[in-house]
Structure formats: C-alpha cells, structure tokens
Amino acid sequence: METNQYLDVFLDESREHLQAINDHTLRLEKEPQNDGLVNEIFRSAHTLKGMAATMGYEDIASLTHKMENVLDLIRNKQLQVTTEVIDIIFIAIEYLEEMVEAISNGLDGKKDVTELVARLDRFEKGEAAAAVEPSMMEPTAEITAVPVDLDEFQMTILEQGEEQGFAAYQIIVELSEESILKGARAYMVFEALEDKGEVIKTNPATEDIEEGNFDHSFEMIFLSKESPGELESLISKVSEVHNVQINQVSFHSENEAIEEDEIEIEEEPEKVHPVDQPDAAAPSHQPAKTIRVNLDRIDDLLNLFEEVVIDQSRLNVVATGINNLELTETVEHMNRVSSDMQSLILAMRMVPIEQVFNRFPRMVRGLARDLNKQINLEIIGADTELDRTVIDEIGDPLVHLIRNSVDHGIERPEERKNSGKPEEGNVVLRAFHSGNHVFIEIEDDGAGIDTEKVKQKAIDNGLVTNAEAEQLSEQEVSQLILASGFSTAEKVSSVSGRGVGLDVVKNKIESLGGSISIESTQGEGSIFSIQLPLTLSIISTLLVKSQAETYAIPLSSIIETVLLQKEQIMTSHGQKVIDFRGQIVPLLDLREVLAIPGHGEEEKEHAVVVMKKGDKLTGLVVDHLIGQQELVLKSLGDYLGDVFAISGATILGDGQVALIIDPNALIK
C-alpha cells in the first residue's frame, strides 16, 4: 500500500498520542490507583501501534506492543505502579519520540529497541527488580558510527588512555554567527580544557582554528576523565559559544567508532499537542470539530492578505480623489471587512503556549531525581495563546530559566527543613495576557538571590564600583546576574549555573521584542518575569521621516517623544547628549546612522524619539514625527541578509516601502 500520502497525518497523530502518554504517565505517578489514566495511556499506545504497523514502522510497533502488555498488567492489577515502572515508560516514550522525529526528518525511523523491549518483557514476566538498571535511568541516544579518521599513533594513544580509565570524546563547538574573533574564542575553548585532558586531533588543523580559518564550528577528539557535563559547562562559559555537542566514543580494533552517549545543549523540539485534550478519567469521544491546516498555508494566506491591504490603502486614496459617494461607501465597507479578516487570520496563527509548557513536567521530574530534590511544578495559564513565531523561539530560554530555578533556586530537602520550609520545593510556571503582551513568570520558593554576594562579584568583575554598588536597590542588584558571563555559583553544575547563560536568555527575549525582569527576596524565592508581544507579524509603530525617507520605530521600545531646541543639545566626550528628566541620555542622528543622502537646512528644533532597552536609554534624532500606525512586519529576505539597525520592512498605503528600525541595535 502506498503510505506516503498519509505520512503527515501519521506524524501529527503520533506526536499527539505521545504527548498524551507523557501527560497521563506524569499524573499516574501521583495517582497510581487511577484506572482511567491507565486506560488512556493504553488507548494511546494501542492506536500508535496500529498506525505504525500500517505505515510499516516495525520498531515503533514492537515497542508500543510491549508497552501495551505492561499497561495491561497494571489494568488487571497484576503489576503495581512504581517508580521503576514509570521510569521504563518514560524511557520508551523518549525512544518513540526520537523515532517519530527521525521519520519527520526523512529517515526510516529505525532504532535498536531490542534491549528496551527485553526490559519491558521482564516487567511482563514479573522480574521488575531486574528491569531497570542504572544505565537505563537516563535515555541514551541511538548507537551509530561516528566517522573519525585517525592514524595508527593516535589510535594507540586512545587505546592506552581507555585502559587507564580515560574516555574519548568527540567535541563539536559552534560559535555564534556574530563572532568576529573566532580564533580567539577557539583559543579560549582550548585553554578552558587545558588541564582537563588531552586534545588528540582537531578538524580543521589546530593552526587553522587558532587563526580563525573555519566557518563557525570546529571539532576535536579529546581524552579526559571528566564527565561530558563538566566539559560542556567549561566550554559554554566561553563567550560567543552558541552550541556544544559532545559524543562519548569507544574505539575498537577495527577502527570502528561507536557513539555511546550523546549530550545536546539544544533542547528537544516542541511536541505538538492537541488543543482540546479530554480529561484522563472521563475520556470524551465527541466528533472532532477541527481540521489540520499546514502552517505554511496560513503564512501564504497572510502574505496574500497583505497585498489586499496595500491595494485597499490605494483605493482609499483614489476614492478620496474621485469623491464618488458610492465608491467611498464601498471602500469603507471593504475597510471594515479587511479589518475583520486580519483579526481572523492572526487568530489562526495563535497557538496555546502549552505546546512549550508540555515538555517541562517530565524535565523537572528528571532534574529533581538527578539533584536529590523534592520539587512540585505547577503550571498556570497553559491555554494562553501566542503567535506561532514567538512559540517557536521561546522554548529554549524557558528551559534554561526552569533549570536555573530547580538547580540553584530550590534548596535540598534538609536545607529547606532547617529553614522551616516544607521539604518539597515549589516551582510555578504561569502565563497570562495583559494588553498587547503576554507575560510568562517562573517563580520558585527557594533561597532567592544573595544580593551581597552578587554585589561583591559585580565589583570583582568591574561591572560596578564600590560606590555605585552601595547606591543600587535590591532589584537593581538582582538584574546584575543577567550580565554576560556573570555567575555567583561556587561550583557550576552540569544542569545550570545561576548567571551562566542568563545573558543569552536576556538577548534572545529582547530579540523577540520582549524584556525580562527579576524580583528576589533572599530566603524566600525569586520570580523571573518575561514580557513578550502577542505577535511578531503585526506591530504598533511610530512613523518618522528623515530627509525624504519614512521609517517605523516599534512603540514597545519608545518611552517618549520630545522636541528639543538646538541649544539644549550638549556634548560629552565627543558624544551628543541631552538632559532627559535629570538623566544624561546619548543622542544618535538617524541620518548619520543610516547614511541617508541629502542635506536639509539646519533645524532650530529637533524631534527626538527616546527609546529604552532594559535600563539603557538612547535618543534618536529624526526630521519629523508622522504618527502611530500598525504595520505588517516583513523580513528583508536572504538577498539583503542582516542590515545594521533594520529589523524588516513594510509597504505603506501609498505603496512606499518603509524600513522598520531595530531599537536594540541602536541602543547597543
């Protein structure tokens, strides 16, 4: 049977069933006597097995079949729900997710599930005690060959190293695309690893790497007794390191390299989740009232609608010029209909944030076990909707912040008990709408931020002086941990380090047009609050003119607009500044920044747009302020690439192209 036409349906439904199994299994651990949950898990596994068998994916079918057998024993009260049972189910889910994602990437979805099937088989036969070994407590990556070309001398070193207890790692380091001094960053990576082991081989050659003669990534074979997590932490602390991949490899006499364990800093992709999930204990079988539509089609629809909006704006101009009553009424009706259509299309792009939140309960459960902590994760507002483009980008920053709270926010049970707190710590993840923004908060009832320690570290790092540190409020001190490379941790763990990477989180959120703030009370806990725009497609802007060009500035970055007399502009250290409400604010002239041609007469009065990023202010001098307008943001495309201080473009009603200013780039 030809199954390719059903592939998209299979992938969508498989992800839904896997997410349902994941969610119900998490609840089952807390409610082991809930037969309704077991039935839901069994039903999802059974459906997945049938779909996989029909499509010819035998490994998925065999694994889900064994899961069914174990679940059937639980349903028939022949097997109790224990931590070991939950562990093995989660490992099976991890395997199934990997196989489904491999199929979506065009691979065959095959994976060696023999060992896992055998472990499930032991549960089925009542050999639960032997079913889960320490090596299976964490899911492992598929064992595949790592192509490594080594000479005989290098092979001898590796073999001798393994005999002495050393492990061989393939380390792939990827630098950010903005990195200018690639050679210097690579040297810093080598320096960080200097006393942790021995570099056996690099690709490209070491000389080329240190001279920066490579794209944005390089790799090495590294011999060490350190754990992969420790090595990853050391490398990640180097500025401008974007991603690190570490593969532990074992070399055999046939020069075959087998990948035994893989650690990815990047998190797993978000799992697609059904919008309307039935209650586990009382499943609903009502006919579906939704259809699946490819997101690309919705994007195409929005693009076509933008063309309609442009023509509609031109019609408004034409109708005004002709001054025909019937034409004017028709155009006004078109305006109302277009406005409703725009709202509807944008609503179609909105998806619930639970698609991101769904990954966190299992992640927190695993982290709590690794760290020997008792942690309860509470999720509030998972049905809050965000634009799909924002959803795609916000996952990784949230992962880092939650790991941060779990690892360094929540204390160990004995420490909490000594402080008079319950042994179980609480992490609350909440989302809610407010105006044209969505707020996401990560709150923990842990130790909070040690402000004195942060002050001292900031002084040591030269971020502030002693005098400046004394003037800072507690909240201002808390914001210091968002500075690049800042950390108060005595020992950086493999899970996270409070401050390590938080500058990356901050930059990512700001690139989405959002902001992050911190509230912390020592001994009581912390709240990390993220503010994001509802959508990145439609933005409210202030239109301004510089010479004959029209530009748009996002309103979310604007504090105020002011008109200044020429004599009010001062100079400090060669930089034009103004006194804005008692604060010295630097000035930038848009004509100079973008090298706009033409020289108008020297104005006696200047229009200034005061913009803010975090706690930094900048004034942008323009020729004229036009007014507020909502615009559709379009990227400049691959041909133009990244243009300094320009985040995109739009087409105005008169057909003119207006560039959209990136305030973050100007303030930097």
Side-chain angles (χ1 to χ4, degrees):
M1 184 178 76
E2 181 60 45
T3 58
N4 287 340
Q5 58 182 316
Y6 305 113
L7 182 60
D8 288 341
V9 176
F10 168 76
L11 291 171
D12 286 342
E13 295 199 2
S14 295
R15 292 182 179 118
E16 289 181 3
H17 286 300
L18 285 171
Q19 187 61 57
I21 294 172
N22 177 77
D23 294 346
H24 294 145
T25 304
L26 283 165
R27 287 183 59 186
L28 183 63
E29 186 172 28
K30 297 178 180 178
E31 307 169 32
Q33 304 305 320
N34 191 332
D35 293 337
L37 290 172
V38 181
N39 289 330
E40 280 296 307
I41 299 170
F42 183 89
R43 184 179 294 112
S44 294
H46 181 74
T47 306
L48 182 57
K49 181 189 77 171
M51 292 192 306
T54 302
M55 297 289 290
Y57 300 122
E58 297 175 2
D59 289 340
I60 295 179
S62 64
L63 185 51
T64 46
H65 177 68
K66 280 299 176 184
M67 283 179 65
E68 271 187 315
N69 292 347
V70 172
L71 292 165
D72 199 40
L73 292 176
I74 298 175
R75 287 201 304 179
N76 296 323
K77 308 299 182 185
Q78 296 175 16
L79 179 64
Q80 288 188 340
V81 176
T82 62
T83 302
E84 288 76 16
V85 172
I86 299 297
D87 283 339
I88 199 72
I89 291 175
F90 275 138
I91 293 169
I93 294 171
E94 188 78 21
Y95 270 56
L96 291 168
E97 287 173 344
E98 289 178 9
M99 287 188 278
V100 169
E101 289 309 312
I103 293 168
S104 72
N105 292 328
L107 303 177
D108 58 12
K110 290 186 179 296
K111 186 176 178 70
D112 185 1
V113 296
T114 309
E115 185 181 2
L116 185 54
V117 167
R119 294 176 186 278
L120 287 165
D121 195 46
R122 293 191 197 119
F123 271 99
E124 189 181 346
K125 294 176 180 177
E127 303 171 10
V132 181
E133 297 175 3
S135 62
M136 285 297 292
M137 292 306 290
E138 288 295 329
T140 58
E142 183 179 358
I143 297 177
T144 55
V146 177
V148 180
D149 183 20
L150 299 177
D151 59 32
E152 186 176 349
F153 176 71
Q154 291 166 338
M155 284 293 297
T156 303
I157 294 176
L158 290 176
E159 289 170 0
Q160 291 177 350
E162 284 191 343
E163 291 173 3
Q164 298 172 22
F166 286 84
Y169 298 107
Q170 179 196 47
I171 302 177
I172 302 172
V173 181
E174 182 183 347
L175 301 179
S176 65
E177 293 188 2
E178 294 77 21
S179 179
I180 300 174
L181 301 173
K182 294 184 294 183
R185 297 304 177 196
Y187 177 78
M188 292 170 70
V189 170
F190 288 129
E191 191 175 42
L193 297 175
E194 187 174 11
D195 58 348
K196 301 298 180 182
E198 188 72 29
V199 176
I200 305 302
K201 182 180 179 179
T202 64
N203 185 23
T206 307
E207 295 79 9
D208 289 333
I209 293 176
E210 293 188 351
E211 290 175 7
N213 296 331
F214 60 95
D215 288 334
H216 286 283
S217 66
F218 61 91
E219 64 180 270
M220 69 183 87
I221 303 300
F222 191 68
L223 204 59
S224 176
K225 288 186 177 180
E226 299 290 340
S227 68
E230 181 67 25
L231 296 176
E232 176 258 302
S233 295
L234 289 169
I235 298 171
S236 298
K237 286 164 66 176
V238 176
S239 296
E240 297 183 351
V241 169
H242 172 65
N243 186 28
V244 181
Q245 181 178 320
I246 302 179
N247 302 323
Q248 183 176 336
V249 293
S250 177
F251 293 85
H252 302 280
S253 56
E254 297 85 7
N255 287 357
E256 179 187 23
I258 304 297
E259 179 181 335
E260 294 180 342
D261 188 27
E262 184 174 294
I263 296 177
E264 283 277 5
I265 297 176
E266 299 291 335
E267 288 303 310
E268 60 183 324
E270 287 111 18
K271 306 297 183 291
V272 178
H273 191 276
V275 175
D276 300 311
Q277 181 181 329
D279 182 79
S284 170
H285 298 287
Q286 296 179 355
K289 294 183 180 180
T290 59
I291 59 170
R292 287 190 176 90
V293 179
N294 190 299
L295 287 170
D296 291 338
R297 291 188 178 183
I298 297 177
D299 288 341
D300 291 341
L301 179 60
L302 183 61
N303 289 334
L304 289 172
F305 179 72
E306 289 166 16
E307 299 296 326
V308 174
V309 171
I310 294 167
D311 290 338
Q312 170 201 316
S313 299
R314 291 188 175 183
L315 269 176
N316 286 331
V317 175
V318 171
T320 303
I322 294 177
N323 197 22
N324 180 287
L325 181 61
E326 289 187 8
L327 178 60
T328 302
E329 288 178 350
T330 304
V331 170
E332 286 177 353
H333 182 257
M334 267 192 66
N335 290 341
R336 290 194 295 272
V337 172
S338 296
S339 178
D340 291 341
M341 283 180 63
Q342 176 179 308
S343 300
L344 187 60
I345 293 172
L346 290 177
M348 290 168 63
R349 290 170 55 91
M350 304 293 277
V351 290
I353 203 170
E354 69 176 345
Q355 292 194 13
V356 179
F357 284 8
N358 281 336
R359 75 166 76 169
F360 298 133
R362 193 170 86 200
M363 185 186 85
V364 170
R365 176 187 182 271
L367 291 175
R369 292 193 60 186
D370 292 343
L371 299 167
N372 296 316
K373 294 180 179 180
Q374 299 175 24
I375 298 175
N376 173 56
L377 175 66
E378 182 181 1
I379 294 179
I380 301 171
D383 57 348
T384 303
E385 291 189 332
L386 261 174
D387 188 278
R388 191 258 306 185
T389 50
V390 183
I391 289 283
D392 290 344
E393 300 291 337
I394 196 59
D396 288 341
L398 288 180
V399 166
H400 195 100
L401 290 173
I402 289 175
R403 285 185 166 187
N404 197 50
S405 291
V406 169
D407 190 12
H408 295 290
I410 302 294
E411 313 96 325
R412 295 186 181 278
E414 58 272 17
E415 295 174 16
R416 294 180 63 85
K417 192 173 181 180
N418 293 336
S419 302
K421 297 181 180 179
E423 291 188 7
E424 184 180 62
N426 287 301
V427 175
V428 180
L429 178 61
R430 70 170 65 86
F432 56 92
H433 285 131
S434 179
N436 288 325
H437 290 85
V438 168
F439 286 83
I440 303 173
E441 293 181 349
I442 299 97
E443 179 179 359
D444 66 68
D445 64 350
I449 297 173
D450 189 335
T451 53
E452 291 303 318
K453 194 173 182 181
V454 170
K455 279 185 186 179
Q456 189 56 51
K457 194 73 174 180
I459 294 169
D460 293 343
N461 289 356
L463 294 175
V464 294
T465 64
N466 281 295
E468 291 171 338
E470 293 303 318
Q471 299 297 320
L472 295 175
S473 66
E474 283 197 12
Q475 299 310 320
E476 288 172 332
V477 172
S478 298
Q479 297 295 325
L480 289 174
I481 72 170
L482 297 171
S484 179
F486 191 92
S487 177
T488 58
E490 297 288 350
K491 180 180 180 183
V492 177
S493 86
S494 60
V495 176
S496 71
R498 173 152 286 189
V500 175
L502 287 186
D503 61 314
V504 177
V505 171
K506 179 185 177 186
N507 291 338
K508 183 66 172 179
I509 291 168
E510 288 178 346
S511 72
L512 295 172
S515 61
I516 179 172
S517 61
I518 304 170
E519 294 180 23
S520 181
T521 303
Q522 196 167 340
E524 295 182 16
S526 304
I527 301 176
F528 289 76
S529 181
I530 299 170
Q531 177 181 331
L532 293 166
L534 270 178
T535 175
L536 296 183
S537 301
I538 303 292
I539 58 172
S540 296
T541 66
L542 174 68
L543 294 182
V544 300
K545 261 194 178 297
S546 184
Q547 297 295 344
E549 303 292 334
T550 302
Y551 297 90
I553 305 173
L555 278 182
S556 58
S557 299
I558 298 175
I559 299 298
E560 196 172 328
T561 58
V562 294
L563 291 175
L564 292 178
Q565 300 300 318
K566 184 179 178 182
E567 55 270 16
Q568 290 180 281
I569 298 177
M570 302 171 286
T571 302
S572 175
H573 302 289
Q575 167 74 52
K576 290 182 179 180
V577 297
I578 59 170
D579 182 351
F580 179 71
R581 306 193 189 286
Q583 185 174 351
I584 300 300
V585 174
L587 282 183
L588 292 174
D589 192 317
L590 190 58
R591 288 178 295 183
E592 296 176 5
V593 172
L594 299 180
I596 301 171
H599 299 285
E601 295 180 6
E602 185 68 28
E603 300 286 343
K604 295 181 180 179
E605 197 172 52
H606 295 273
V608 177
V609 180
V610 181
M611 305 177 300
K612 182 175 184 179
K613 176 192 175 188
D615 56 352
K616 296 179 181 178
L617 297 178
T618 296
L620 185 64
V621 179
V622 298
D623 292 345
H624 304 287
L625 305 174
I626 299 174
Q628 182 179 338
Q629 189 168 330
E630 286 199 342
L631 301 175
V632 177
L633 173 63
K634 301 296 293 179
S635 69
L636 296 177
D638 296 334
Y639 180 74
L640 290 175
D642 293 330
V643 178
F644 173 72
I646 301 296
S647 60
T650 191
I651 300 178
L652 302 175
D654 58 1
Q656 182 183 356
V657 174
L659 296 177
I660 298 172
I661 301 295
D662 179 7
N664 292 335
L666 292 179
I667 295 172
K668 282 182 182 178

